[in-house]
Amino acid sequence: MNRRTLLTALASAPLLAACGFKLRGSVDFAFKSLYLNGAANSPFLKELQRNLEGVGSLKVLRDPTEALQAEAIYDDLGQRRERVVVSRNAAGEVRELQIRLFTRFRVRDQKGGYYVTEAELMQYREISYVETYALSKANEEEMLFRDMQTDLVQQIVRRLSIVKTVTTTD
């Protein structure tokens, strides 16, 4: 029985390698240190900092006195939440909502060049709505906003990981 298991494992190893499966390694950024410029108590920036520190050897700075030591500066230009009615029933009551989360940012160097020019990213989710369950729907909405925030942070980390050079603004 052990011999059969060993042979099966050895036979399946080339199949796993052929499918393109690869463990995520550390990320090499175009800069060694990044200052996160934004509100000190921003949950978005706190999550971004945790993610950036977890994926590579990047030194993330938050103290304003260290801003001049950073090779790159992430400028948080704000987040915005929206709630849009998607559908109503025959009585005019809301049945479905779309919630949206936008974030705007740019990444620059100390000399005025840009790693990432001003960009806006958006995530959205659709949610059914029943007035009698308003409190539980508000909780569900908040959970979805946190989920969208996590997705946006991961998009930003991926975007920063593919940047290789500074673009000048001449």
Side-chain angles (χ1 to χ4, degrees):
M1 189 66 154
N2 288 338
R3 183 178 253 166
R4 185 179 304 166
T5 305
L6 178 65
L7 289 173
T8 304
L10 289 174
S12 63
L15 295 175
L16 279 176
C19 76
F21 176 77
K22 179 181 160 188
L23 290 174
R24 187 182 310 167
S26 66
V27 177
D28 291 327
F29 293 98
F31 36 85
K32 301 282 186 243
S33 59
L34 176 69
Y35 172 67
L36 297 180
N37 184 21
N41 59 352
S42 166
F44 189 86
L45 288 180
K46 286 179 183 176
E47 185 168 351
L48 180 59
Q49 180 179 2
R50 278 194 308 271
N51 275 264
L52 287 169
E53 290 173 340
V55 296
S57 60
L58 181 67
K59 183 177 180 182
V60 181
L61 308 170
R62 288 298 309 269
D63 187 1
T65 61
E66 298 176 318
L68 295 175
Q69 299 168 6
E71 286 183 42
I73 299 170
Y74 174 94
D75 290 319
D76 181 29
L77 304 175
Q79 289 77 42
R80 184 176 81 243
R81 291 180 173 198
E82 287 183 358
R83 243 175 141 227
V84 179
V85 174
V86 176
S87 66
R88 297 178 182 268
N89 65 10
E93 297 170 332
V94 175
R95 285 291 159 222
E96 192 172 5
L97 294 170
Q98 186 179 74
I99 57 173
R100 302 172 185 163
L101 180 62
F102 298 86
T103 187
R104 290 180 42 237
F105 69 98
R106 69 177 170 229
V107 182
R108 58 187 168 88
D109 68 358
Q110 296 286 355
K111 299 172 188 153
Y114 288 96
Y115 288 102
V116 178
T117 57
E118 188 172 322
E120 182 174 66
L121 299 176
M122 184 209 29
Q123 284 282 310
Y124 70 91
R125 304 284 190 274
E126 293 186 2
I127 181 173
S128 62
Y129 188 79
V130 180
E131 184 67 36
T132 55
Y133 302 119
L135 184 58
S136 65
K137 288 298 177 178
N139 290 337
E140 181 181 358
E141 222 175 282
E142 195 54 41
M143 286 186 343
L144 288 172
F145 273 121
R146 282 194 305 265
D147 181 50
M148 291 187 293
Q149 175 179 301
T150 299
D151 288 347
L152 287 174
V153 164
Q154 290 173 352
Q155 283 183 35
I156 290 169
V157 171
R158 284 192 300 271
R159 187 171 284 199
L160 293 178
S161 71
I162 63 170
V163 171
K164 297 300 174 203
T165 59
V166 174
T167 306
T168 58
T169 57
D170 292 333

